[in-house]
């Protein structure tokens, strides 16, 4: 506090509190959502992880924050995207990944596992439903009734608990598909190399 000018000590304390576990991820999430504070967001990735599911939940929080930035002006979108990138970089460092892309690859693999149950046939009322992924990685909700494929999800079933969960998972998988496409396109430009094991995590 006494060797810095202005309020730089306040910013530094946010990072120190996060790295030392003096604040929880949940506490930061509430404050970030309330004020969209970029310093708190960047420190968010430094909070120690409880386990891999906690890491995945926090990765999704950052992706959701990035998506919400579309509701604001272009300058704010850019600055918030930079803050999210720094938060992911900090998270990758804390988790022991060599680069942000490695963290992203691992977390997208976790997402695929998280929604795997929705890729099995499940009966909702008189309709069978599941999510299918095509060869290009594009998801689709498939409904069948009496052996025939329906053109769309019946409106009367959209509020059923399982169907609502399927539609939510479908939406997240579509977002994941777009993220992975951008990630691998950038990786090609950067001539990034992946191990066979890393790619299997996305299977």
């Amino acid at each position: 506090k006494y060797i810095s000018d202005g309020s730089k000590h306040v910013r530094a304390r946010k990072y120190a509190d996060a790295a030392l576990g003096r604040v929880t991820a949940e506490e930061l999430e509430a404050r970030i959502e309330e004020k969209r504070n970029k310093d708190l967001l960047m420190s968010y990735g430094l909070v120690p992880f409880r386990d891999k599911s906690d890491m995945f939940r926090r990765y999704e929080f950052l992706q959701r924050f990035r998506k919400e930035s579309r509701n604001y002006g272009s300058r704010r979108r850019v600055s918030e995207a930079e803050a999210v990138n720094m938060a992911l970089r900090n998270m990758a460092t804390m988790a022991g990944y060599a680069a942000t892309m490695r963290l992203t690859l691992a977390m997208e693999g976790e997402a695929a596992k998280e929604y795997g149950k929705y890729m099995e046939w499940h009966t909702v009322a008189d309709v069978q439903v599941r999510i299918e992924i095509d060869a290009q990685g594009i998801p689709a909700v498939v409904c069948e009734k009496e052996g025939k494929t329906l053109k769309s999800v019946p409106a009367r079933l959209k509020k059923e608990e399982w169907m609502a969960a399927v539609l939510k998972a479908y939406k997240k998988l579509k977002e994941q598909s777009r993220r992975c496409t951008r990630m691998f396109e950038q990786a090609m430009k950067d001539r990034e190399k992946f191990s066979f094991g890393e790619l299997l995590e996305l299977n």
Side-chain angles (χ1 to χ4, degrees):
K1 178 177 179 179
Y2 299 107
I3 62 172
S4 62
D5 60 307
S7 60
K8 291 187 177 64
H9 66 284
V10 177
R11 298 184 67 190
R13 187 167 61 235
K14 291 174 183 175
Y15 292 93
D17 287 346
L20 295 172
R22 292 173 180 163
V23 291
T24 66
E26 290 77 11
E27 288 171 339
L28 286 179
E29 286 165 12
R31 291 162 63 187
I32 290 167
E33 287 182 333
E34 179 186 359
K35 299 181 179 180
R36 296 191 75 82
N37 184 286
K38 289 189 283 292
D39 283 324
L40 289 176
L41 183 71
M42 290 185 285
S43 72
Y44 177 68
L46 296 173
V47 178
F49 304 108
R50 291 190 292 270
D51 49 37
K52 199 163 187 176
S53 63
D54 178 45
M55 193 188 309
F56 174 63
R57 186 187 63 79
R58 286 158 62 180
Y59 174 80
E60 283 208 312
F61 175 84
L62 289 172
Q63 296 298 341
R64 186 168 66 252
F65 185 95
R66 188 198 300 272
K67 184 179 178 182
E68 290 169 354
S69 294
R70 300 172 189 169
N71 299 325
Y72 302 97
S74 58
R75 290 181 64 183
R76 183 166 177 175
R77 284 201 303 272
V78 170
S79 65
E80 289 193 344
E82 290 174 350
V84 169
N85 290 338
M86 180 56 71
L88 288 170
R89 193 179 308 168
N90 288 336
M91 185 180 291
T93 300
M94 288 294 288
Y97 290 98
T100 303
M101 186 174 290
R102 259 58 194 184
L103 168 72
T104 301
L105 197 64
M107 292 300 99
E108 296 298 352
E110 285 298 305
K113 295 173 188 175
E114 183 81 8
Y115 305 126
K117 61 186 176 183
Y118 300 115
M119 297 177 195
E120 302 293 334
W121 287 112
H122 189 92
T123 302
V124 180
D126 55 347
V127 172
Q128 284 193 305
V129 60
R130 74 173 181 177
I131 294 175
E132 291 184 357
I133 310 291
D134 68 16
Q136 283 70 46
I138 307 300
V141 178
V142 179
C143 294
E144 288 188 359
K145 183 178 180 180
E146 298 176 353
K148 295 182 179 180
T149 302
L150 304 181
K151 292 182 179 180
S152 60
V153 177
R156 62 187 171 87
L157 299 180
K158 287 184 177 180
K159 291 185 179 180
E160 293 286 339
E161 185 177 356
W162 186 263
M163 187 66 80
V166 167
L167 293 173
K168 183 178 180 180
Y170 162 70
K171 183 178 179 181
K172 286 183 175 290
L173 286 167
K174 277 184 64 179
E175 293 169 356
Q176 181 197 43
S177 177
R178 286 193 289 266
R179 287 198 303 268
C180 286
T181 298
R182 289 194 298 267
M183 180 183 73
F184 282 116
E185 285 175 349
Q186 187 61 49
M188 289 174 67
K189 292 178 182 177
D190 297 340
R191 297 179 180 273
E192 192 75 38
K193 294 180 180 179
F194 298 99
S195 70
F196 181 63
E198 286 177 315
L199 295 176
L200 278 180
E201 288 295 314
L202 287 177
N203 191 349

